[in-house]
Amino acid sequence: PIELTQVEFQIMEYLIANTNNPISRTDILHKVWGADYVGEEKIVDVNIRRLRMKIEKDASTPKYLITVWGKGYKWAV
């Protein structure tokens, strides 16, 4: 078992529901934090990094939580 925060769980749930489809940082931000969120979009990157540290064997070379340059993040299978 892996302990996730509520935000981490929501991000994973959203990405897994859209497996192999890149989701933009903005879309993740709106889905998890809400459209009224006021703050930096980089909060998504911070949480993605934390997720990778929890779920990837080697967070520096992820196999599941992939960055798609110019598009966002995706859950790969």
Side-chain angles (χ1 to χ4, degrees):
I2 300 170
E3 289 190 35
L4 301 176
T5 66
Q6 182 177 351
V7 167
E8 291 167 345
F9 181 83
Q10 289 177 326
I11 291 171
M12 281 200 55
E13 182 178 48
Y14 188 39
L15 292 172
I16 290 171
N18 294 281
T19 297
N20 292 321
N21 294 314
I23 307 295
S24 73
R25 181 188 293 135
T26 302
D27 287 345
I28 294 170
L29 188 70
H30 287 177
K31 178 71 174 178
V32 176
W33 283 268
D36 295 333
Y37 174 77
V38 177
E40 295 290 323
E41 283 189 346
K42 290 288 186 181
I43 191 72
V44 174
D45 302 335
V46 170
N47 280 278
I48 293 290
R49 187 181 83 242
R50 288 180 185 156
L51 269 171
R52 282 184 177 146
M53 291 174 69
K54 291 181 178 183
I55 64 171
E56 298 285 357
K57 193 171 201 172
D58 179 4
S60 63
T61 56
K63 295 183 187 219
Y64 304 107
L65 191 46
I66 308 296
T67 300
V68 181
W69 297 109
K71 295 194 181 201
Y73 299 100
K74 74 175 184 176
W75 184 262
V77 288

